[in-house]
Amino acid sequence: MPWKNNNSSAFLHTGLILLAALIFSGCAGKPWTTPLDGDRFNETLQLIDSLNLDNQACGQSLDGDLALFYVDPLDKKALSGYLQFSIPGSYKFAVANPFGQTIMAIAGDQKSYQAVIVPEHKYLSGSLRSFGLRHDVPAEILKGPWGEWLTARTLRPGNTISAIHEDKNGRGLWISFRHGTAEPAGMSHLLLEPVSKLPLSRILENGAGRIVAEVTYGDWIQQGECRQPQEINITGLDYGVDIRLKLSNVKLTSQAKNYSLPVPSGYTQQLLP
């Protein structure tokens, strides 16, 4: 599906926000009960360590077609392209028109980004921190574990877990741990079905303990011993915003990569703070 807006500047803004999930700022109730302790807590720690070993064998990079859908009460946006992502947070996303010609590309990591807008022959680059300050993006999101959120993995040993709770509706166990390097650090709560070890959902809190989003996973594929969700839905956001990511033709590879965009010949450069 092509992007349904011809304004390239608006497209860049939307693409950056959607790729990095940079508009999380919502509120929702907490769907867990009192924390586990004793033998059940220790058994779950062992389960997490086992899951981590499985995840570590699943490679560092993901390539595939990505469709992004953004909906709020006043507007809808959709764009599609090809995503390359490498844990922990290096990415490249190229958008093509219906004829297969690239019209926009964004690349970078959790420190900086570059963008090429082909119709305008424009090259942009800037600091992701400054982008976050300009658009009121929580630091917990900018510095959070993007790779874990996108792949639905947990890559943390059991001794980093701060709490484990039963789900109120009996869907599984909520595993809680701190994420990111922002101060105060936010929290992630991962809903895990303990028999299949399948992650179902992830709730994100900012450093003040406020829930900023819920991410749910679906349409799983299996590649060898590795599992990857092809549908990632982001809800619980302010202003009635919902975001859906739909992956297809996914390939998981072991090599860690860094992505960037060179300045095309003849393009106007704009360096942002």
Side-chain angles (χ1 to χ4, degrees), residues 194-250:
V195 176
S196 65
K197 296 192 289 187
L198 194 68
L200 303 178
S201 180
R202 190 185 302 267
I203 286 178
L204 309 178
E205 289 183 2
N206 64 17
R210 180 171 178 258
I211 291 178
V212 296
E214 180 170 5
V215 184
T216 56
Y217 302 105
D219 191 17
W220 290 80
I221 58 170
Q222 187 94 21
Q223 290 192 12
E225 299 300 316
C226 304
R227 297 178 296 189
Q228 168 66 38
Q230 294 189 113
E231 285 197 6
I232 303 170
N233 298 308
I234 305 165
T235 58
L237 308 175
D238 273 345
Y239 314 116
V241 171
D242 289 332
I243 300 172
R244 183 162 65 95
L245 289 76
K246 177 65 176 176
L247 289 161
S248 57
N249 301 316
V250 173

Side-chain angles (χ1 to χ4, degrees), residues 12-14 16-17 20 22 113 126-137 142 272-273:
L12 170 62
H13 179 261
T14 300
L16 282 169
I17 287 178
L22 297 181
Y113 66 91
S127 159
L128 203 60
R129 179 180 179 274
S130 295
F131 178 88
L133 290 173
R134 288 196 301 273
H135 299 285
D136 296 321
V137 178
L142 290 176
L272 301 174

Side-chain angles (χ1 to χ4, degrees), residues 35-79:
L36 302 183
D37 57 14
D39 290 342
R40 290 202 63 201
F41 182 86
N42 292 328
E43 289 169 1
T44 305
L45 293 187
Q46 295 175 12
L47 174 66
I48 293 299
D49 285 336
S50 172
L51 181 59
N52 285 340
L53 289 175
D54 294 342
N55 287 335
Q56 289 169 11
C58 289
Q60 295 293 305
S61 297
L62 175 155
D63 293 6
D65 297 320
L66 173 64
L68 295 164
F69 305 91
Y70 171 101
V71 179
D72 66 33
L74 300 177
D75 197 10
K76 295 181 180 181
K77 294 185 176 69
L79 58 91

Side-chain angles (χ1 to χ4, degrees), residues 88-110:
S90 184
Y91 61 89
K92 181 179 179 181
F93 184 57
V95 178
N97 63 21
F99 304 102
Q101 300 166 319
T102 299
I103 58 172
M104 173 72 184
I106 306 169
D109 53 28
Q110 291 181 285

